[in-house]
Amino acid sequence: MLKLIAPTAKSILSSCAKRKYRLASTPSFSRNFASSMPIYDDTLQQHQQCAHSLLILGKPGGGKGTISGKILHDFPQFRHVSTGDELRQHVRNKTALGIEAKKYMDEGCLVPDQIMIQMVMGDAVEAVEKGQSLLLDGFPRTMEQAVALDKNLDVDLVINLCIPNETIIERISDRWIHSASGRVYNYSYKPPKVKGLDDETGEPLVQREDDKPESVLKRLQKYEMVNVSLGVGIFR
C-alpha cells in the first residue's frame, strides 16, 4: 500500500497525473485539505491521455463541495459533476427525474440508485468522451452506483471525507440558499451581507427541507447503512 499525504489539491492532482490509482480513502479531514490512502496496482497501465477522472466521496454535507472548489481553483480544466447540483437542477427545472427525486428529498430519504445513475452518468460519460478531465462529486454512493460507474469510467483517484455527524448537522442547519441561482450561504462561516437576503439580488433566502436537522440526521443514518456495504465491496 502506498500512502499519499495530500495537504493541497495540487499535490493530489500531480500524483494522479503520474500514476494510476484505484482507491484513495481519507481517514481524517483537516482545515486545509485531506489525507489520502491510495492503493496502487502495478499491473494497471498508465493513462495514454492527459485527461483524468477523480472521485470525491463523503457524507451529505461533509465538505465535498468545498474541497471540489479548491481542486477546481487550481485545475480549472476539470469538469465538475456534482450529485447535489444535478438533483437541484432537475428539481428546479421540474424534469421527470426531478419530480420523482423530490419526493424522497422532502422526506429526508436518499434518492434511489436508478434515478441518480440516470442523472449523473450522462454528464460524466459525455465529459470523458470529449477528453475532459472529470471531477465526480458524491457519486457513487452505493454498490449499484459503483457497478454502473465501473462499467463506463476508469477512475484514477478517490478521496473519501470522514466528518462526524454532529459537525455536519450543525453546519447544514446554518445553511440557507438563494433558490433562483443556487447560491449557498452559511451563518457559521459564509453569512450573507444582510441577514436573510441574497447578496446579489436582495431576494429572500430559504432553507431547504432536507437541510433541517431532523432530515439531515435521517439522511446521515441511511448513508452510513449503505456506505458500509460499499466500503466492503471496494476494499474486498
Side-chain angles (χ1 to χ4, degrees), residues 17 47-52 77-78 131 133:
H47 276 302
Q48 299 300 316
Q49 301 177 353
C50 61
H52 297 284
Q77 70 270 29
F78 270 77
S133 289

Side-chain angles (χ1 to χ4, degrees), residues 117 139-140 142-153 230:
I117 290 170
F139 185 96
T142 67
M143 282 302 298
E144 186 172 351
Q145 292 177 13
V147 169
L149 178 66
D150 190 53
K151 289 179 179 178
N152 292 280
L153 295 180
L230 177 61

Side-chain angles (χ1 to χ4, degrees), residues 18 50 141 212:
K18 294 176 181 177
C50 61
R141 189 192 66 228
K212 295 180 178 179

Side-chain angles (χ1 to χ4, degrees), residues 106-190:
D106 288 346
E107 295 177 359
C109 298
L110 296 175
V111 178
D113 289 329
Q114 287 306 312
I115 296 177
M116 293 307 308
I117 290 170
Q118 290 182 62
M119 283 187 181
V120 174
M121 290 308 300
D123 281 349
V125 172
E126 178 187 358
V128 173
E129 288 178 346
K130 290 181 177 179
Q132 296 176 308
S133 289
L134 175 69
L135 174 57
L136 195 53
D137 177 349
F139 185 96
R141 189 192 66 228
T142 67
M143 282 302 298
E144 186 172 351
Q145 292 177 13
V147 169
L149 178 66
D150 190 53
K151 289 179 179 178
N152 292 280
L153 295 180
D154 197 10
V155 176
D156 296 288
L157 181 67
V158 181
I159 304 168
N160 185 42
L161 306 180
C162 301
I163 313 297
N165 286 354
E166 295 78 10
T167 301
I168 293 176
I169 293 172
E170 180 179 358
R171 179 188 299 168
I172 293 181
S173 63
D174 279 344
R175 185 166 67 185
W176 291 70
I177 67 167
H178 178 241
S179 297
S181 66
R183 280 186 289 274
V184 179
Y185 300 88
N186 192 295
Y187 285 103
S188 298
Y189 60 88
K190 188 186 175 184

Side-chain angles (χ1 to χ4, degrees), residues 209-220:
E209 285 296 321
D210 59 337
D211 282 351
K212 295 180 178 179
E214 57 273 16
S215 294
V216 176
L217 179 58
K218 186 176 180 180
R219 197 162 71 252
L220 288 171

